[in-house]
Amino acid sequence: TEEAYQEARKAADKAASLAPDLVEARKAIGWVSMTPALDFRAAEKEFRRALELAPGDAGAKNALSYALGAQGRLAEAGQNCREALLLDPLVTTLWYNLGRLAVAAGRYQDAEQMFRKGLEIQPHAARFHAYLAALDILQKNATAALQEAQLEPDGFWREYALALVQQTQPDRAAADTALKNFSTKYAKNGAYQIAVIHALRREPDEMFQWLDNAYATHDSGLTQLAITPFVSQYRDDPRFVALCQKLGVQLP
């Protein structure tokens, strides 16, 4: 992954040197600024530049929304997301981005509608069922959460959703095993999701340990720190505040 990111950065920089006003180059630099650099402000600058060059580019508008949400600027992120949907309502990532922002605001019914709209457009898209499972957990509906987790088509997100749901079941041994198995398998590229599971289990020390791992490995999950359910309940913890400061995240 690290080698791939390095090649991506070289390619994006080369494109920008050849054609500084190429919209796709500016967006590419913005995305590698998001991950792995975790420099959300630099990403915002690139995406805004892309929009100056192409105001009607839904992808650039979506990317700007993503960068703003990563910084905790949720109202601005939501506005840009809605504007992007007006430009292209068939971009599925816009629907789950808007849904996640709705979850962060506690508007669970709106969030579900947005997730399901994305599934209408692309029934086999990854993440939507995992997000719906988390939403059901938030609403104390473990049965529905399990059903959604089982419908998730993507391998990683399905295993994550199932491990998350297992923490809500009465069998604690099975819950511990699910967490252990997921942590062992995805320690290198799923540190953020492991932290979320510990947050759901109300194990803040373990959660912050995995968040530190996520930061050290430039885990893309940290772009969702300001809006992730379960983790946000620790927003008053000094360790959470310190991590936000390192990432340049405003607490919403």
Side-chain angles (χ1 to χ4, degrees):
T1 302
E2 183 176 349
E3 291 178 1
Y5 277 134
Q6 289 176 354
E7 290 300 315
R9 184 74 203 206
K10 288 178 182 178
D13 288 343
K14 181 65 174 179
S17 70
L18 293 170
D21 292 335
L22 183 66
V23 173
E24 294 303 325
R26 304 261 61 104
K27 287 194 291 185
I29 292 174
W31 283 118
V32 294
S33 296
M34 289 290 294
T35 309
L38 298 178
D39 190 341
F40 307 146
R41 292 178 183 174
E44 177 191 352
K45 180 180 179 180
E46 291 295 338
F47 297 144
R48 288 194 185 279
R49 175 60 178 151
L51 282 171
E52 289 175 1
L53 297 168
D57 190 309
K61 182 71 75 170
N62 179 32
L64 177 59
S65 171
Y66 198 81
L68 292 169
Q71 296 176 66
R73 294 156 62 183
L74 306 190
E76 293 175 78
Q79 179 61 33
N80 278 273
C81 211
R82 287 186 290 272
E83 291 173 1
L85 280 172
L86 292 175
L87 295 169
D88 189 349
L90 298 183
V91 179
T92 54
T93 54
L94 284 168
W95 289 104
Y96 72 61
N97 283 340
L98 204 53
R100 291 185 297 192
L101 291 169
V103 171
R107 295 185 286 106
Y108 297 159
Q109 185 175 359
D110 289 346
E112 180 175 0
Q113 290 176 352
M114 293 162 189
F115 293 148
R116 299 217 178 272
K117 179 63 176 179
L119 284 171
E120 287 178 15
I121 297 170
Q122 192 174 344
H124 300 293
R127 302 190 186 192
F128 281 110
H129 286 292
Y131 292 144
L132 285 165
L135 189 58
D136 286 325
I137 291 173
L138 286 168
Q139 298 177 98
K140 312 297 182 183
N141 192 340
T143 301
L146 179 59
Q147 292 172 346
E148 292 293 349
Q150 291 171 335
L151 289 171
E152 173 59 50
D154 181 84
F156 171 82
W157 290 102
R158 186 174 190 274
E159 291 182 51
Y160 165 64
L162 288 169
L164 201 63
V165 172
Q166 189 62 60
Q167 310 310 311
T168 69
Q169 305 299 310
D171 189 338
R172 299 316 303 162
D176 293 344
T177 299
L179 172 57
K180 180 180 179 181
N181 291 341
F182 187 82
S183 301
T184 300
K185 187 173 182 179
Y186 295 111
K188 290 185 177 180
N189 59 354
Y192 187 76
Q193 284 72 29
I194 297 169
V196 175
I197 297 173
H198 279 292
L200 177 59
R201 289 165 61 98
R202 297 188 181 278
E203 297 172 343
D205 290 342
E206 292 82 355
M207 181 197 76
F208 282 111
Q209 179 183 345
W210 281 102
L211 286 177
D212 287 342
N213 289 347
Y215 184 79
T217 57
H218 298 268
D219 193 317
S220 63
L222 287 170
T223 62
Q224 304 302 306
L225 183 65
I227 61 175
T228 302
F230 318 121
V231 172
S232 57
Q233 66 184 313
Y234 296 102
R235 56 178 291 159
D236 294 328
D237 190 296
R239 292 169 290 184
F240 190 87
V241 175
L243 180 56
C244 286
Q245 289 175 339
K246 286 195 291 185
L247 289 168
V249 175
Q250 302 175 11
L251 288 175

